[in-house]
Each structure stands twice: as structure tokens, then as C-alpha cells.
Amino acid sequence: MSNREQRYIKWYLIASVLALLPLTVGAQNPDIPKLMVCITADQWDAGVLEQIKPYLGNDGFRRLQSRGTTIQKVLFPFAPINGTSASTTLSTGALPVVHGVSDESVFVSSDGLFHPILEDRTQSGEYTRLTVSPVKLFAGTIADELKSATGGKAIVYSVAPDAAMAIAAVGGCATGAYWIDNQVGSWASTRYYGAMPDFLNRYNRSENNLSKNLTQRKWIPQKNYSGLPYKASQSFRHYFKATRYADFKKSALVNEEVTRLARLLIEQGGYAQSQSPGWLSLAYYCGPHTSEGDGAMLTPELVDTYVRLDSQLAELFAVLDRTIGNNKYVVSFSGTGYALHPRRVKQNIKTFSPQKCKTLLNLFLKAVYGGNEWVKAITPGGIYLNDQYISKSKLNPADVQAKAAELVEEMEGVSRVVTSETLRSGLALNPECEYLRCATHRESRPDLLMMLHPDWQYAAGELMLPPESMQTTWQTEWHYVPLNTPLYIMGGDMPRGERITTPVRVTQIAPTLCGILKIRPPNGCVDSAIELKK
């Protein structure tokens, strides 16, 4: 064999070995962070943060703003929004019309009941009776791509108060996804991801676990918030009844639980020892407490929620600095594009009766087509017709929906009615209808989507609502407000104190984070990355 042939074989073998090396080597490259921490704060409002700046420390929100890049305005091109649909859009780069996760629960017409949107009865739960998995998430996530790029070696965890947010944030290839079970109060998961790690089992059995001491928890202001408007400086005191974990999850104290579990995962989950870049998704709660009362946007409970979250972020960053290493991780922080405000002022608020609407619609469709029960249910999402009856009568669903819409849109208090078939076709939709189409998925969309005028609300007790264990944003006493939320990205080679004023779409966040990790965007992502300065 000639020397030339020997050199060729040598370089061929070297090239082959290099090609087979996984991304674990790339993780040593300072351009790729050792850990990406993606934080989503449900109902987070930058306007509230501005009003309470004097009460913020230097190591939480101020650190995000001063040591990272701020994208001032993130647009959500769909409505209505909830924490589940927003967090899934952030993780997939796709809209609900594509990824399919439009809310925590959906109404199933066949049995007339609400079910978890990620229900999977083939999977058992860990510390929960919920049977859920990511199989009904119709788009890949950033975490899925990171797992693929590292040959399955990346450590991927997710922590959230609720199941759907925890699972949809990481998708099908995660190491684990954890939430607080509404019945048991322990940190729960699905067997889809395998058995829960021993250190989490030990925590669930410890005296520090929420299930052991809920009634001993009390929520009082962390500081004296003097000088704030609209009675925001008033004191308060909230206690939690036994097994009322759903109420606890609508308080500022739930964020302490999220941070506590995040700390366990960072310290004992293997991130520091891993040679591959890792992923950690965290979901915090910044919405109103169930007892908030007089309709003011800035309530004492909300002020305390933001101040406590500021402290939680500072604690989280300290753990990351100590365990992962300063500048070896990247943090993204964003809100969910909406907020709920208490609607307690009754002047000029009129009431729409779903029960009356159902009765009139049944009578109308009976007069047109015959038969009896045409309306299956009226939920906050819209009106569900009896699909089985329509099919048995060999009627065109589009025609029945159109006839029903003719009546409903004439009812007092109704602003707009859009049929599912109209949204499915996508033809000649105005911007308001396009927002509705993007916010819903054909698998779970009601037959009629109905919107009320702003000064109207549904009669209490007449809407068909999910069980308390699956309720998220749909409560008649809350006023839905869309928001433009900022995005903070801190760490790595991100410029310090940089501000980008050009609005970006929420679907640009996923490809941007993938660019930082140097991996492909998720398969449902069709948008471009944000242009960041280096």
C-alpha cells in the first residue's frame, strides 16, 4: 500500500470518528450553554413590575434586565390565551391551531364531560390519578430537538403547578415533567417518562412536602408596601384548608414550591455532571388570588406575588451560579400574553344566560329540522351541538352550524358568533376570527364560538365548567385582558442591558433559543429567529 493510500485511510478514519462524535463534545464549547432555563410566568404583567420597582432586589428582575437582552414587546397572534396554550406555543414555536393544546381541559361531546387535553389512559401516574402524556401534543418542542441532537443524552426536566403546562413545555422526550396534584398535593408525574427519581420520592415523603403541611401555610405580605395606589398597600392574611391544593396553586406561595423543586433538580438531577447541554422549564404563577375583591388591577396580593417572585428568581440564579457556573447557563423569561382582572364592579355589567340560549336554540333547531336535544352543552369556549344526532339525521354539519349561528348572533349581549366550519375553511376571515382560529384546534373546537360584548358576562352557575381540578382561566368573575409581554434572555454571550424595541412574534422565541443551543427548530415552527446582537 502506498504512502498516499495510507494517509487517505488515516484521514478517512479521523473524519469518520469526528462525524460520529455526539454533541456532548460541543457542550464544552463556550458558545453552547451547559444549561438552558426557560421560565414562563403565567399572567405576568410588566406594567405591574414597573409600579413596584422600589420593592425589588438587585438579583432577580433587575439582574435579568441589567445582565441580559430585553425584547420589549412579544405579540401573541391568537386569542383567547391561557397559560397552557401560551406555554405550549413558547416551547413548540407553533400556534394552538397546529400544536393542539388549546387549554388544560376540553369538552368531549361523545360523553358530555370535560377531560384533560393531554389525557392518555394507557399511562398511569406517579402520585396522581391523572392519566396523561404528551401523545396528544401534535408538534415537537425545543427539548425534543435537544434530545435528538445529543443522541438522547441531554437531561430535560419541567416543573409547573399544573400537568398540561409541565408536559407541553418539554414534549415526548423529556427526562421528567412534574406538577402539584390537586388531590394528593405531592409532586406528581406520568409513567410515560419512567419512574420518579429517588431524590424526588424522598422529598414527597418528607415533612417539607405540601401534602404534609398545607393547613400550616399562611400567606401574609412579605413587606410593608406603603405608598402604592388603589389600596395595594393594605395588609391581608390567607390560610389554606386541608386538601384545597387548587386554591394554593392560585397564590404566590406556589412559586416557592416550584423554585424548591427546581433547586433539587439543579443540584441532584445530574446537570452539573452531564457532558451534554441540558434543559429546564419552569412555570410560575402571577395571576390573581381567588379572594381578590374590588376590581382594582393592583391588589396587595398581586404586589406580594411579584415581590416574592423577585426573591425566587434571585434564589434560583444563586443556585445556578453555584452549581452550573456563572455564564455557563442561559435564562429566558417571558409572560403568557394575557391577564385576568377581578370583575367586582357591577355597574353597567349585564348578564347573558346560557340556559336561556340553550332552550331557545333547541326550540329553533327543532322547528327547522325536527328532533329534540340539539345542544349538547354551552361552555366558556362556545356551544357544542349534538354531533351524533346530526350524523344520524344525515344533515350537513356546516348547514346546522350556520342555522344555529343565525339565532345566537341575534341574542342580546352577543358580539360575534363564528362556526367551526368557517374557521376550518379559513376563507375570508377578518382579524378577530383569525385570532380565534389560531387559538383553537379542530380536534377540540366547539361547533359555535361565541363572544359577548365587553360589558356582559355569563350568568353564574349556568355555564358547563370543568371540574375544579381542571379549571384554568375560565371563571365568570374574571375579566380577560390581552397583554404584550417582554422577553428577557440572560447569560452566554447575550449583550448586557441591550433593549430591542421592534415587536416580535411569540413563535420567534423557539427558533431563537434553538439558535443559542445551535440545534434545529422544532418541526412545527415556521417562523424566523429574533435578530439578536452579539
Side-chain angles (χ1 to χ4, degrees):
M1 182 182 296
S2 66
N3 289 336
R4 181 178 180 182
E5 290 174 328
Q6 291 177 359
R7 287 196 302 270
Y8 176 81
I9 293 174
K10 176 183 177 181
W11 285 113
Y12 177 80
L13 291 173
I14 292 174
S16 299
V17 171
L18 290 175
L20 291 173
L21 286 176
L23 190 57
T24 53
V25 175
Q28 306 306 314
N29 187 328
D31 290 340
I32 300 177
K34 187 173 182 64
L35 177 62
M36 175 73 78
V37 182
C38 183
I39 302 173
T40 305
D42 186 23
Q43 301 184 56
W44 182 72
D45 187 346
V48 173
L49 194 70
E50 287 297 315
Q51 295 189 63
I52 64 168
K53 266 190 172 181
Y55 299 99
L56 301 179
N58 294 321
D59 300 319
F61 285 109
R62 292 185 190 274
R63 177 173 174 177
L64 278 173
Q65 294 170 338
S66 63
R67 297 194 189 181
T69 295
T70 301
I71 293 90
Q72 289 186 291
K73 185 179 291 186
V74 176
L75 306 177
F76 283 73
F78 61 97
I81 314 170
N82 56 71
T84 303
S85 64
S87 60
T88 311
T89 298
L90 287 163
S91 68
T92 62
L95 297 175
V97 68
V98 175
H99 62 61
V101 183
S102 56
D103 206 343
E104 186 177 5
S105 63
V106 292
F107 180 79
V108 177
S109 184
S110 59
D111 63 8
L113 299 173
F114 280 91
H115 293 258
I117 197 164
L118 296 180
E119 185 175 56
D120 181 0
R121 296 187 178 181
T122 67
Q123 300 294 330
S124 59
E126 293 262 344
Y127 297 94
T128 181
R129 294 180 179 178
L130 275 181
T131 54
V132 288
S133 82
V135 295
K136 292 183 181 177
L137 174 60
F138 301 137
T141 65
I142 307 172
D144 289 333
E145 291 298 332
L146 182 60
K147 272 283 192 178
S148 176
T150 59
K153 295 182 178 179
I155 297 173
V156 173
Y157 286 116
S158 174
V159 183
D162 297 305
M165 289 184 72
I167 294 172
V170 287
C173 298
T175 311
Y178 309 107
W179 65 89
I180 299 174
D181 182 72
N182 280 9
Q183 306 300 322
V184 178
S186 296
W187 283 103
S189 187
T190 167
R191 280 283 180 149
Y192 179 92
Y193 298 119
M196 188 173 285
D198 289 339
F199 65 90
L200 293 187
N201 282 319
R202 288 194 296 272
Y203 178 74
N204 271 340
R205 293 192 294 266
S206 73
E207 293 302 316
N208 294 325
N209 187 260
L210 182 64
S211 63
K212 305 291 180 60
N213 55 29
L214 176 64
T215 57
Q216 301 171 26
R217 307 285 182 101
K218 64 179 179 179
W219 181 19
I220 59 176
Q222 195 174 55
K223 298 180 181 179
N224 179 20
Y225 306 116
S226 59
L228 291 174
Y230 305 113
K231 302 180 181 179
S233 59
Q234 291 184 345
S235 185
F236 61 88
R237 187 180 297 269
H238 298 299
Y239 296 94
F240 303 96
K241 297 180 180 179
T243 72
R244 297 292 295 176
Y245 302 109
D247 290 343
F248 179 85
K249 286 158 63 172
K250 298 301 180 187
S251 76
L253 302 190
V254 72
N255 294 334
E256 298 177 6
E257 294 299 309
V258 171
T259 303
R260 190 172 289 117
L261 196 71
R263 181 172 181 167
L264 277 175
L265 293 172
I266 294 168
E267 294 176 337
Q268 302 182 42
Y271 287 121
Q273 296 77 26
S274 176
Q275 294 301 306
S276 296
W279 179 273
L280 175 62
S281 285
L282 303 176
Y284 289 112
Y285 179 73
C286 292
H289 186 249
T290 53
S291 65
E292 293 184 17
D294 59 4
M297 184 184 79
L298 198 63
T299 63
E301 289 91 346
L302 196 61
V303 172
D304 196 61
T305 297
Y306 278 63
V307 173
R308 285 176 178 272
L309 180 57
D310 185 60
S311 300
Q312 295 305 307
L313 291 176
E315 179 183 341
L316 178 68
F317 298 155
V319 173
L320 288 167
D321 288 341
R322 184 177 66 253
T323 307
I324 306 301
N326 190 17
N327 213 40
K328 292 184 179 180
Y329 63 89
V330 171
V331 174
S332 73
F333 181 100
S334 62
T336 50
Y338 81 103
L340 296 178
H341 295 166
R343 177 153 41 185
R344 293 288 188 255
V345 180
K346 296 299 182 182
Q347 290 87 343
N348 299 322
I349 298 296
K350 305 176 184 66
T351 300
F352 179 86
S353 171
Q355 191 59 48
K356 181 180 177 181
C357 174
K358 182 177 180 179
T359 300
L360 292 176
L361 193 52
N362 271 325
L363 290 172
F364 175 71
L365 293 177
K366 179 180 179 180
V368 176
Y369 298 110
N372 291 305
E373 292 297 321
W374 286 92
V375 181
K376 197 88 172 185
I378 299 181
T379 74
I383 300 174
Y384 290 84
L385 301 177
N386 194 327
D387 296 336
Q388 295 174 333
Y389 197 80
I390 294 172
S391 176
K392 184 178 179 181
S393 302
K394 298 182 180 180
L395 296 171
N396 185 343
D399 293 339
V400 179
Q401 289 177 14
K403 278 292 182 184
E406 288 179 10
L407 176 70
V408 177
E409 65 188 3
E410 294 297 325
M411 294 182 179
E412 190 178 13
V414 176
S415 170
R416 181 180 293 275
V417 179
V418 185
T419 70
S420 176
E421 289 296 325
T422 299
L423 297 183
R424 186 192 297 263
S425 69
L427 298 176
L429 293 180
N430 60 38
E432 189 176 28
C433 291
E434 179 62 16
Y435 268 51
L436 266 178
R437 186 187 73 85
C438 291
T440 55
H441 190 272
R442 59 186 178 85
E443 294 286 336
S444 55
R445 188 180 290 150
D447 297 286
L448 304 179
L449 290 89
M450 178 174 58
M451 291 163 280
L452 302 182
H453 289 295
D455 58 347
W456 283 71
Q457 67 181 18
Y458 292 106
E462 293 192 15
L463 274 177
M464 185 170 185
L465 293 171
E468 184 183 40
S469 61
M470 292 188 288
Q471 287 183 23
T472 52
T473 63
W474 293 113
Q475 299 183 49
T476 56
E477 64 266 28
W478 303 113
H479 174 57
Y480 173 88
V481 180
L483 299 172
N484 289 324
T485 179
L487 166 69
Y488 303 125
I489 304 178
M490 178 189 73
D493 58 357
M494 297 300 298
R496 296 191 170 203
E498 185 70 31
R499 301 182 72 86
I500 297 176
T501 58
T502 305
V504 303
R505 294 174 297 280
V506 64
T507 46
Q508 293 182 267
I509 295 177
T512 302
L513 299 183
C514 286
I516 295 173
L517 289 168
K518 293 179 171 50
I519 59 175
R520 296 174 303 184
N523 53 22
C525 181
V526 295
D527 222 330
S528 59
I530 304 167
E531 293 186 10
L532 300 173
K533 296 180 181 179
K534 299 295 184 180

